[in-house]
Amino acid sequence: MQLYGVPGWGSTIVEIMLALAGEPYDFVDVTGFDRPGAARDRLRAINPLAQVPTLVLEDGLVLTESAAIALWLAGRHPELAPAAGSADHARFLRLLVWYVANVYPTFTYGDYPERWAPSAPQELVDATDRRREELYLWLETQLAGPFALGERVTLLDAYIACVISWRPRRAWFAGHTPTLLAVAERVRALPEVAPVMARSGL
């Protein structure tokens, strides 16, 4: 498999998933894909939407969207998700889709405010930052500990591991969402995950 991504970006979430699953992959660094140039052209040849993560499977099939990749991996590695039909499986699906539907857009728009609100970019940054904090405060109430859904690590924990390095940053999480922070640090310390975090710079 080949994973197209950027160290420290959202593709790190999929790197963690692949590490938890023990799936070998080659990382293709497309730093700079978000502006015109060779990196963007290289990524668009695989994924015309020019998004990371983009995962190319052994048979050439292209998978995008981290939630889709998580569900594909859960099919191959059922130990990384709660049992189908269980209450925890419903929670797993809810939080997985909730994250990508709610938290992701705050970065999509807040990281590139000049694209979406050229007349008031800072207002957009401030609004998306506030919204993200509200979302994480809610997520704090949903986490079981010691991992996101309880005693066993799941693919959902790959998201938790990364978020404490992104806005609003670790100090905010320490002061407002101690359970989320504790889950993230526990996942980051796992022997299969720690090397991913080191490579990503998170």
Side-chain angles (χ1 to χ4, degrees), residues 39-64:
R40 186 173 183 83
D41 293 343
R42 185 179 190 187
L43 179 59
R44 290 190 69 176
I46 303 300
N47 176 6
L49 296 176
Q51 298 170 325
V52 297
T54 293
L55 185 65
V56 182
L57 307 185
E58 294 95 333
D59 61 2
L61 180 68
V62 175
L63 270 182
T64 64

Side-chain angles (χ1 to χ4, degrees), residues 25-38:
Y25 65 95
D26 294 320
F27 185 78
V28 181
D29 189 343
V30 286
T31 297
F33 78 95
D34 54 337
R35 55 187 180 273

Side-chain angles (χ1 to χ4, degrees), residues 88-189:
D88 274 348
H89 189 256
R91 291 179 61 220
F92 172 82
L93 294 176
R94 179 192 184 190
L95 290 177
L96 179 66
V97 175
W98 171 86
Y99 186 89
V100 299
N102 290 274
V103 179
Y104 265 14
T106 68
F107 288 109
T108 299
Y109 302 117
D111 284 356
Y112 299 95
E114 66 283 352
R115 293 182 185 175
W116 314 106
S119 62
Q122 191 56 51
E123 288 184 29
L124 181 57
V125 172
D126 293 342
T128 53
D129 283 353
R130 284 194 305 270
R131 178 58 177 161
R132 191 179 312 113
E133 290 174 1
E134 294 171 357
L135 294 168
Y136 286 145
L137 289 171
W138 178 83
L139 180 59
E140 173 77 358
T141 70
Q142 304 300 306
L143 300 178
F147 295 106
L149 298 178
E151 296 296 325
R152 196 164 56 116
V153 68
T154 69
L155 294 167
L156 185 62
D157 289 292
Y159 292 88
I160 307 298
C162 289
V163 299
I164 62 170
S165 292
W166 299 331
R167 296 193 312 275
R169 308 294 181 189
R170 184 184 294 264
W172 184 91
F173 289 106
H176 295 84
T177 58
T179 302
L180 190 156
L181 179 63
V183 170
E185 291 182 335
R186 188 169 291 108
V187 177
R188 293 160 75 108

